[in-house]
Amino acid sequence: MHSTVRRLVFGPERQFASDLGLYGATVPLEPDAIEDPTEMTMLTVPNRMLVLHPSRTTPLAIFTFRAAQPAPHHRKNIALHKQTVADAYAYVRWRAPELVAAFLDHPAPFFDPLTTVRVPSWSLGRVVLLGDAAAATALLVAMAGAYALAEELAAHPGDLARAFAAYESRLRREVGMRQRRVGLLSRLMVPRTGPGLAVRNAVGRAVSRTHRIASLEAANR
């Protein structure tokens, strides 16, 4: 997301990045921090979400929130990051005090504003962007983009311009659709109000019920 290559070749980050008004923070936890390694547990209150994720190896606490006052963003100011998380979850119950303490105790927890990145063209000369450097928050998996790029390089040997254009053409439509929805998705993910949270939960239950019915129908065929 904070690509040095993009900055050097395409220009300053501020030309392409837009904050979504949310912060994301994570910290690794001890293996015994979760009871079931197959389940993710989530607590949401207005403007705050807290997730216990089993991950594949090390469990994670994931904080996603809106701050009452936007924090100055200094990527290397760990003390500021810790204070921002502590302030945001000061009155949240459940396991929030324990997980915030883990965040405060860690020497280098992750913290960053959630940002969308839109670059008019993903290539310039012999340089091409992948993943978050090209389209952050588009849910574009960097490995999938790299695979598509590799295929186009193989299909157009010696012609980087055509290979880069074909790679970008393959992915732009899907990326564009997801980026157009990212504002709505961020509001659904972390609603601002109690009624908004109730609507989000009702939609989630309906989707889950539909998925279960579809799974049962498929199993009975």
Side-chain angles (χ1 to χ4, degrees):
M1 188 178 298
H2 305 293
S3 171
T4 300
V5 169
R6 187 186 62 222
R7 175 174 56 81
L8 291 173
V9 177
F10 295 80
E13 182 175 311
R14 63 179 177 273
Q15 294 183 14
F16 312 114
S18 301
D19 286 349
L20 293 172
L22 291 169
Y23 293 91
T26 65
V27 65
L29 304 171
E30 296 297 326
D32 61 0
I34 58 172
E35 295 180 2
D36 188 340
T38 66
E39 287 189 357
M40 180 182 75
T41 309
M42 177 176 69
L43 169 72
T44 310
V45 298
N47 292 314
R48 311 280 187 272
M49 185 167 69
L50 179 54
V51 174
L52 268 176
H53 198 298
S55 188
R56 290 191 177 184
T57 54
T58 303
L60 293 174
I62 304 172
F63 306 85
T64 310
F65 62 96
R66 293 182 180 86
Q69 295 293 329
H73 184 219
H74 301 291
R75 290 178 59 202
K76 296 183 179 180
N77 191 338
I78 296 175
L80 176 61
H81 301 166
K82 291 182 175 183
Q83 188 61 52
T84 302
V85 171
D87 291 346
Y89 288 83
Y91 302 104
V92 179
R93 300 298 178 235
W94 186 49
R95 296 180 62 179
E98 164 199 350
L99 300 176
V100 168
F103 189 87
L104 298 179
D105 288 343
H106 196 278
F110 172 81
F111 178 94
D112 213 17
L114 299 189
T115 303
T116 183
V117 170
R118 292 180 172 88
V119 184
S121 175
W122 294 351
S123 63
L124 184 63
R126 297 177 60 84
V127 179
V128 63
L129 300 175
L130 286 166
D132 282 353
T137 72
L139 306 182
L140 173 66
V141 178
M143 289 183 65
Y147 187 86
L149 175 60
E151 285 194 328
E152 297 302 338
L153 287 170
H156 303 91
D159 192 341
L160 292 181
R162 287 185 64 193
F164 291 166
Y167 145 74
E168 184 170 340
S169 178
R170 283 175 61 171
L171 297 176
R172 269 287 188 183
R173 178 173 297 181
E174 181 178 357
V175 164
M177 288 190 301
R178 292 179 176 181
Q179 286 192 322
R180 284 191 292 274
R181 294 196 298 259
V182 72
L184 173 62
L185 291 176
S186 69
R187 293 190 293 274
L188 286 174
M189 182 173 66
V190 186
R192 295 178 181 274
T193 65
L197 179 57
V199 170
R200 195 283 307 270
N201 290 344
V203 171
R205 284 192 292 270
V207 170
S208 177
R209 188 179 305 114
T210 301
H211 177 72
R212 286 199 300 272
I213 291 171
S215 297
L216 288 171
E217 289 176 347
N220 290 329
R221 287 174 186 160

